[in-house]
Every structure is written in structure tokens, then in C-alpha cells.
Amino acid sequence: MSSQLENTSQDSGSLAELAKKYGLRPAIARPRFPVYVRQLWERRHFVLTYATSRNVSKYSGSALGQLWQVITPLLNAAIYYVMFGLILGGSKNIPNYPAFLLTGMFVFTYTQRTVTAGAKSISGNLSLIRALHFPRASLPLAYTIQELQQLVISMGVLLVIVVITGEFPTWLWLMIPVVLVLQTMFNIGAGLILARLGASLRDLNQLLPFIMRTWLYASGVFFAIHDKVVNSAGLPEWVAAAMYLNPAASYIEWMRDLLIGSHTPPPMVWVSCLCWAVVTLIAGFWYFWRAEDRYGRG
């Protein structure tokens, strides 16, 4: 028995030496981080095409087709306005509540859908991962681009509604792409982190709806944070400050500042948006890349 183990060890050693001699490496070995980023860039056309095709196929079986990309946000807007603006009285003390609510909903939904899709991007594509060799980060990236494409349509609807409700375009609207770029950077990083977690923690997809709902209510989508937290609930100022620093709330507040003339968020939200975007993007890529050689196994 011991001789068999020794022979097996020798064979393994000789195979490893042989592979090293001829420059062979495992097919799914994790490349160095700069190489990995370059590989992703080389596959940018695949990522964009994959995201676009998912958007097209999503509504291909319906009679109205791509019109649902406009109808869906409008229906959501109407439902939330009736529920939170009229029935629950959320519009009290908030000028232009329709624009306030819709801005919060569209901005938050972009992050919510991206993170949720990212968590399923690896576990839901195991057959593709096991059949083809490509940077696995392509999948969470494609899901982010898919949601970004839908957000562009939603933002067009939002701008029309904002004007109809009494707001007028200003030079600040030129900053809208800046906010969306920073939010997209954050979404990519968060999606990559959730993609790795979702690949190993199968129960995560069951917990995500509860996590997202809690995040929704903590982000001031339906109410003014300072007014409800400090003035109505009587909580300390630091609680409101912590809620403003929540990444979803920060991007919502900055977008509201650009679109609604009467809305003035704390200046710290702009710094928060920048910090969340840079830190989460870098951390997300690094965290996802560290497990590149383990996706699709098991």
C-alpha cells in the first residue's frame, strides 16, 4: 500500500514538473489581476451583446414588446404614488412629491435589480461557465449593463414627468450622467461581491428580498429622511446622517438635488457617492477575482 502511495506521489510530481517544463497550466487557473482586467476589456463586445440580447428577449413573448420598458416604470410610479403619497400621507411637507417619489424609485430600482441579478449571475449560468472559458466577471457586468439600458429609458420617462410636475431644466441636469456613472461603478462592485457570495451561499437568494426591502425603507425613497427621522420620530441627528450615508440614499439624494429645485440634501452625500463608487468597484473586482478558479465547480 505504501509503495502505491509513493508511486502516486512520484507520478504527480513528475506530471507537475513536466507541465512546468512546457509552460502548461490548469485551464481554469486564475490569471494575474492586470491580465484579468485586460481579458475583460477584450470581451467587452460579448458583454454588451449578451446584455442587449437579454433585454430584447425579456419582452419578446409579449404583445407590446419593448414598450413594456416604458409602461412598467409608469405603472410602478402610479401605484407607489397612490399608496405612499395619497393613502399613507407621505407627500406631507414635500414639495413636488411625484418627482420626489419617482426619482427615489427609479434610482433605487436600478441598484436593487443590479445587485439581485448579480447574486444569481454565477449560480444561474453554470452550464455556460462549465462549457466555455471566459472571465466570469463578464456575467455580473452584463447584468449591470442590462439594467443600465433599462434605466436610460426610465430616466427619459422621469425627466418628462419632472417637467410636467413643474420643474424646469437647469444646467445642473448636465450632472445627471455623472451621478449615473458613479452609481453604475457602485452597482458593478456590489454585483460582483454578491455574485461570488451567491455562487457559494445558495440561501442568499432567499434572503435577498428581505434585505432589499429593508434597504428600500432605509433609503428615504418614500419620505424625507431628516423630516421623518429627526422631526417626527425624535431620533438623534446622527441617525439621519447615517441614513444619508447609505449608498442608495446618497445617489437618490444627489439625483433629487439635480432635478428638484426645492430639494437640498446635506453636502456629505456628494462625497459619499464618490467614495462608495471607487471603494466598492475596486473591492468588488478584487473580491470576485480571488475566486475566479472556483466558479462552476462542485
Side-chain angles (χ1 to χ4, degrees):
M1 183 67 178
S2 59
S3 61
Q4 291 179 350
L5 292 176
E6 291 177 0
N7 292 335
T8 302
S9 177
Q10 291 174 359
D11 291 342
S12 300
S14 61
L15 286 175
E17 293 173 359
L18 191 63
K20 182 178 180 180
K21 177 180 178 180
Y22 291 99
L24 302 180
R25 62 184 181 84
I28 57 173
R30 185 185 68 209
R32 292 183 298 108
F33 190 73
V35 175
Y36 189 69
V37 173
R38 187 176 70 248
Q39 291 176 350
L40 275 174
W41 175 251
E42 291 171 350
R43 288 162 177 81
R44 62 191 182 279
H45 301 297
F46 160 74
V47 173
L48 181 59
T49 303
Y50 183 68
T52 304
S53 64
R54 284 183 57 86
N55 261 331
V56 172
S57 62
K58 184 176 182 179
Y59 302 103
S60 60
S62 60
L64 297 179
Q66 299 301 308
L67 284 177
W68 279 109
Q69 295 194 48
V70 177
I71 297 173
T72 300
L74 285 177
L75 290 177
N76 287 334
I79 292 171
Y80 283 114
Y81 178 74
V82 171
M83 288 298 300
F84 292 93
L86 300 181
I87 297 178
L88 298 180
S91 59
K92 185 179 179 182
N93 300 326
I94 300 179
N96 197 354
Y97 186 73
F100 178 94
L101 173 64
L102 293 182
T103 302
M105 277 304 307
F106 288 171
V107 172
F108 180 82
T109 300
Y110 175 38
T111 293
Q112 177 191 39
R113 290 172 63 92
T114 301
V115 171
T116 302
K120 302 175 182 178
S121 60
I122 298 298
S123 58
N125 292 281
L126 290 180
S127 58
L128 179 64
I129 291 173
R130 290 167 178 169
L132 300 174
H133 179 68
F134 61 94
R136 308 316 188 195
S138 301
L139 294 173
L141 280 173
Y143 281 75
T144 303
I145 293 176
Q146 178 188 354
E147 298 302 332
L148 178 61
Q149 290 173 340
Q150 295 205 29
L151 176 70
V152 171
I153 298 174
S154 299
M155 287 300 298
V157 174
L158 175 62
L159 294 180
V160 171
I161 294 176
V162 166
V163 172
I164 292 175
T165 55
E167 303 294 336
F168 295 96
T170 67
W171 67 271
L172 289 175
W173 285 29
L174 298 175
M175 291 289 292
I176 292 176
V178 175
V179 181
L180 295 182
V181 166
L182 291 176
Q183 187 184 5
T184 301
M185 291 170 60
F186 169 78
N187 288 355
I188 291 173
L192 288 167
I193 292 172
L194 267 293
R196 176 174 172 178
L197 293 176
S200 56
L201 303 176
R202 300 305 170 86
D203 291 337
L204 180 63
N205 290 329
Q206 305 303 321
L207 292 173
L208 267 180
F210 302 100
I211 297 173
M212 290 297 122
R213 194 173 300 119
T214 303
W215 198 8
L216 172 69
Y217 294 134
S219 300
V221 174
F222 312 114
F223 57 87
I225 292 177
H226 189 273
D227 179 60
K228 290 295 183 183
V229 172
V230 178
N231 298 339
S232 298
L235 296 175
E237 290 280 352
W238 68 264
V239 177
M243 292 180 67
Y244 279 122
L245 292 177
N246 156 19
S250 294
Y251 293 114
I252 289 171
E253 290 296 318
W254 194 358
M255 188 65 74
R256 283 171 175 164
D257 183 41
L258 301 180
L259 297 178
I260 305 173
S262 58
H263 188 78
T264 306
M268 63 182 174
V269 301
W270 306 322
V271 179
S272 173
C273 288
L274 179 61
C275 291
W276 277 114
V278 175
V279 172
T280 308
L281 181 66
I282 295 174
F285 263 113
W286 181 86
Y287 181 70
F288 185 89
W289 164 77
R290 292 285 297 174
E292 175 71 12
D293 55 346
R294 299 201 296 271
Y295 298 128
R297 290 190 173 186

